[in-house]
Amino acid sequence: MQSDRPTASGRIAGALPIVLCAGLLFGCASSVPRPDAIGRGDYDAVRRYASALIQEEIERSGIAGMSIALVDDQKVVWADGFGYADREGQVPATADTIYRIGSITKLFTATAAMQLAEAGKIDIDQPVSAVLPGFSMRSRFPGSGPVTPRLLMTHHSGLPSDILHGFTQAHPASLAETEQELRNTWLAYPPGELWSYSNVGFSLLGRIVEVAAGEPYAEHLDRAIFRPLGMEHSWISSEISTRPGSAKGYRNGHTQDDFILRDVPAGGMNSTVRDLSKFLEMVFADGRAGARQIIRPETLHEMMRVQNAGNPLDLTYQIGLAWALGPVGDLVLPEGELIAQHTGGTITFHSQLIALPKSKLGIVVLSNSQAARTVVGKVAHAVLKAAYEAKTGIRPPERHERTADRRPLPPELMRAWEGEYATGLGYARVYRRNDEMRADFMGWTFEATERERGILGLRFLLLGFVPIEPGELGQLGLLRADVGGHELIGASFGPQRLVVGEKIEPVPIPKAWLERVGPYEVSETDKSGFFVPRALTTDGRYLYLNLEVKHTVIPNSTLKLPLQPISDDTAVVRGLGRGLGEVVTAVREGGHVRIKYSGYLMRKEGEPDAPVVVHAAAPANAGVKSGL
């Protein structure tokens, strides 16, 4: 869910959070080189190269299984599986193995919405309330525009990234219940202002789909998309598949149950590489599948048109309607060749789907291992470049990112960077140490060096002083950008640059908030989440909300989110980017104060767990409601 989780869709899956994943810290280059030359139509050479590459990655990373399909227009030119769908049962992975595909589901939710738009049942530029009568959310942005289906599909809606409470639980809320929860939730940003990946935004879009269609979301996708495309092994569910032919999930070499998902329109699809190939074939046929027009050509072209051109806070990041657009990672193709793609991930499943509409070439890679989090993209990019050469006769360039070296940073760059930042990983500090520049966040220390003009690279400092070559971390660049009065920190992955945080200064902390500092608890049923609030803390300069990180690639750590109080009862998570801008409120019931954040209701340790009726205070400088 971009991944798509609070593992699959949480903060650690988006933008800068990729930095911290252990696989990025110690990754290494493949020893399987792309063939020196691949002849036109020589997909056998592509297959041999891909097979060797996948086998090496499986063995090196301890991946249980992986499946891949390569699509040339209306033909699957190669589909296969490697490793095991079930390692203990010695069941091999095949092209028909069923996987959880995570956030690739969003492409199908958006496609269903656009089908309904063609039928006149949804106007994607009208407020959400046009389909969901009376729907509105709390807003602190007077005069801002409405949330629309288009903004939901481009992650510009201003909705929070997630409602963390209830993201995963044994009996997840329905889409109708999630809609009701959102009516009492605050917008994080003015609609249309910036890209901020939102799983709960796609749950709202899924609710719009089922209301407009007049049938449950999962049933509608089966009737309107899966069956017409012949996707016989694809369906929507809050749980991973247990049907025959399904892959088990693996983490650290052992089987592990994946989470039960509330936001199924954001990541609740089970499928196979062969079924997903049929979706790609439809894309390459301008929306047709056999004799049936699944979606009109002009609608499909609109979905793959850059929607956020001219949004300065998005830097260079490009998105269509659900489709991420433009170069990704080391997949850089000749000018004029559009790259449209989506990733997905859960605790144990990871996926990548890429389409090249101009060349009518596409790839799907699915895996059932946590260790494959970065590998599915690496394999997809490498194999697609080889296939592009086989189809077009043009050899895509290799993009060799210059990794961070130890040359001294220019003094002016160090001065510009020094300071404190609010990011999706919480509070971060950039500072000088002698002639070096370092960055601290989440208890880790990185050495910063200039990788190219104005862009920093990072080296992980083991134990705070031993530099470790960062593998894939070396492909990441960090940059500063002054936009609209904001001193932004951006992440650079090749040509793509997007906002992941903002420079901050201390602000006065009202006495009312200082009195609330201390450890907090949530009810026992709420402790299974991915990010669980644990405390309000202060260092005398900033007020922080501390979140315990659980079940992710960096478990048992703490996010310290700097807060900016805007009244005695309301504070905002500081910074710009995913997971930021969200509202924290204090409510009083029965002589006690409760703290409400992302659906959680927190009580001070030792206080009774009495039920309370929550009446969230409105910020003093804003209206309480904004019609959507």
Side-chain angles (χ1 to χ4, degrees):
M1 298 173 273
Q2 176 66 54
S3 200
D4 21 22
R5 53 209 191 278
T7 55
S9 69
R11 294 168 173 79
I12 296 180
L16 181 60
I18 293 174
V19 174
L20 287 182
C21 299
L24 294 186
L25 293 175
F26 306 107
C28 52
S30 170
S31 62
V32 180
R34 183 158 37 124
D36 291 335
I38 299 176
R40 293 286 290 269
D42 190 0
Y43 284 118
D44 282 342
V46 176
R47 176 185 56 77
R48 290 191 298 270
Y49 163 62
S51 298
L53 177 64
I54 294 170
Q55 197 60 52
E56 178 188 70
E57 293 295 340
I58 284 178
E59 294 172 359
R60 181 168 62 189
S61 302
I63 294 168
M66 184 178 291
S67 298
I68 185 171
L70 182 62
V71 180
D72 182 347
D73 199 357
Q74 301 304 292
K75 182 180 179 182
V76 177
V77 295
W78 177 53
D80 207 347
F82 298 81
Y84 294 99
D86 176 355
R87 184 181 279 160
E88 293 73 23
Q90 295 290 289
V91 178
T94 72
D96 295 308
T97 296
I98 300 166
Y99 296 84
R100 190 72 153 167
I101 69 168
S103 282
I104 293 175
T105 308
K106 292 179 174 70
L107 296 178
F108 291 84
T109 303
T111 300
M114 295 305 289
Q115 288 176 322
L116 291 165
E118 290 180 346
K121 296 182 178 181
I122 294 175
D123 185 332
I124 67 170
D125 293 311
Q126 288 297 307
V128 168
S129 56
V131 179
L132 306 179
F135 181 83
S136 64
M137 289 178 64
R138 298 181 182 272
S139 175
R140 54 193 176 90
F141 311 109
S144 62
V147 172
T148 65
R150 184 187 297 273
L151 293 178
L152 291 171
M153 286 186 276
T154 65
H155 298 285
H156 283 74
S157 67
L159 268 69
S161 295
D162 296 284
I163 296 178
L164 296 176
H165 175 248
F167 184 88
T168 175
Q169 55 188 23
H171 303 288
S174 67
L175 294 181
E177 291 169 326
T178 299
E179 177 198 340
Q180 292 303 313
E181 174 81 10
L182 283 169
R183 289 173 183 250
N184 291 311
T185 300
W186 296 88
L187 288 172
Y189 301 107
E193 182 175 78
L194 81 160
W195 180 88
S196 182
Y197 194 86
S198 177
N199 288 301
V200 74
F202 266 79
S203 273
L204 184 59
L205 184 66
R207 174 63 174 159
I208 292 169
V209 165
E210 70 177 10
V211 170
E215 60 183 337
Y217 164 82
E219 293 179 17
H220 180 71
L221 260 67
D222 183 60
R223 183 183 62 80
I225 300 177
F226 301 155
R227 278 187 280 169
L229 288 178
M231 298 175 65
E232 298 178 356
H233 303 290
S234 300
W235 69 97
I236 300 293
S237 172
S238 61
E239 301 181 65
I240 66 170
S241 172
T242 57
R243 298 182 188 180
S246 298
K248 290 183 176 180
Y250 290 83
R251 186 180 184 191
N252 298 326
H254 303 286
T255 57
Q256 178 170 325
D257 292 336
D258 217 283
F259 56 78
I260 299 174
L261 181 67
R262 177 194 61 215
D263 298 314
V264 290
M269 185 171 164
N270 299 299
S271 191
T272 70
V273 295
R274 205 180 294 278
D275 268 14
L276 292 172
S277 296
K278 296 175 181 178
F279 180 73
L280 285 172
E281 290 170 4
M282 179 271 292
V283 169
F284 300 147
D286 268 343
R288 294 189 68 83
R292 183 165 180 173
Q293 192 76 45
I294 304 299
I295 193 166
R296 295 172 188 164
E298 59 269 25
T299 303
L300 192 60
H301 297 164
E302 178 65 13
M303 293 183 72
M304 292 187 173
R305 181 182 68 83
V306 175
Q307 302 285 319
N308 61 332
N311 275 49
L313 289 175
D314 291 350
L315 303 183
T316 66
Y317 185 75
Q318 298 179 334
I319 190 165
L321 298 179
W323 289 90
L325 304 175
V328 55
D330 63 353
L331 183 59
V332 179
L333 298 177
E335 187 174 352
E337 191 70 65
L338 174 67
I339 300 172
Q341 57 92 23
H342 214 295
T343 61
T346 69
I347 291 177
T348 57
F349 290 85
H350 295 282
S351 54
Q352 174 81 71
L353 179 148
I354 308 174
L356 307 180
K358 180 181 178 182
S359 295
K360 298 187 177 183
L361 194 64
I363 195 166
V364 184
V365 182
L366 306 177
S367 178
N368 60 342
S369 294
Q370 182 269 334
R373 192 192 58 78
T374 60
V375 174
V376 290
K378 178 180 180 180
V379 167
H381 301 167
V383 177
L384 193 57
K385 285 191 290 187
Y388 186 82
E389 183 176 359
K391 177 155 190 180
T392 67
I394 301 171
R395 186 175 181 84
E398 295 287 355
R399 186 174 67 84
H400 298 290
E401 286 285 352
R402 190 168 74 192
T403 57
D405 55 33
R406 294 183 62 85
R407 64 179 179 170
L409 286 173
E412 63 275 12
L413 186 62
M414 297 177 74
R415 284 193 297 270
W417 269 97
E418 273 191 299
E420 298 168 292
Y421 296 85
T423 77
L425 291 172
Y427 171 84
R429 183 169 71 101
V430 180
Y431 58 96
R432 299 190 201 192
R433 181 167 178 177
N434 300 323
D435 292 331
E436 298 176 348
M437 176 158 281
R438 296 191 175 185
D440 291 345
F441 44 94
M442 291 187 73
W444 294 6
T445 298
F446 294 84
E447 180 185 40
T449 59
E450 190 176 25
R451 220 179 63 200
E452 53 186 282
R453 185 172 178 82
I455 296 180
L456 298 185
L458 297 175
R459 291 156 55 96
F460 177 62
L461 293 180
L462 183 65
L463 304 178
F465 66 93
V466 180
I468 299 294
E469 293 302 327
E472 291 179 54
L473 180 60
Q475 296 182 12
L476 173 84
L478 295 177
L479 58 114
R480 292 183 72 261
D482 295 328
V483 180
H486 299 279
E487 293 185 72
L488 303 177
I489 180 172
S492 169
F493 298 89
Q496 292 276 28
R497 300 177 178 185
L498 70 164
V499 172
V500 294
E502 182 179 17
K503 196 171 188 177
I504 58 174
E505 299 283 349
V507 295
I509 305 173
K511 180 181 177 182
W513 281 100
L514 290 173
E515 291 174 347
R516 297 174 187 134
V517 167
Y520 282 77
E521 296 179 322
V522 295
S523 67
E524 286 298 321
T525 57
D526 293 340
K527 292 182 178 179
S528 61
F530 292 94
F531 299 91
V532 180
R534 290 301 189 190
L536 285 175
T537 61
T538 183
D539 56 11
R541 303 174 69 250
Y542 295 100
L543 178 70
Y544 302 98
L545 174 65
N546 291 4
L547 303 183
E548 179 186 0
V549 180
K550 302 171 67 177
H551 311 302
T552 70
V553 291
I554 49 171
N556 305 317
S557 54
T558 299
L559 289 182
K560 291 178 61 177
L561 302 177
L563 302 181
Q564 178 167 340
I566 57 176
S567 75
D568 281 350
D569 295 313
T570 307
V572 176
V573 178
R574 300 187 68 174
L576 292 178
R578 185 176 183 183
L580 308 176
E582 299 181 13
V583 172
V584 180
T585 55
V587 297
R588 299 174 182 85
E589 293 288 344
H592 297 287
V593 173
R594 302 288 192 253
I595 303 298
K596 195 169 192 297
Y597 164 72
S598 199
Y600 281 107
L601 192 62
M602 308 151 53
R603 67 185 186 280
K604 274 255 183 115
E605 279 191 2
E607 289 184 351
D609 188 16
V612 298
V613 179
V614 178
H615 302 289
N621 62 339
V624 176
K625 291 286 187 177
S626 173
L628 306 184

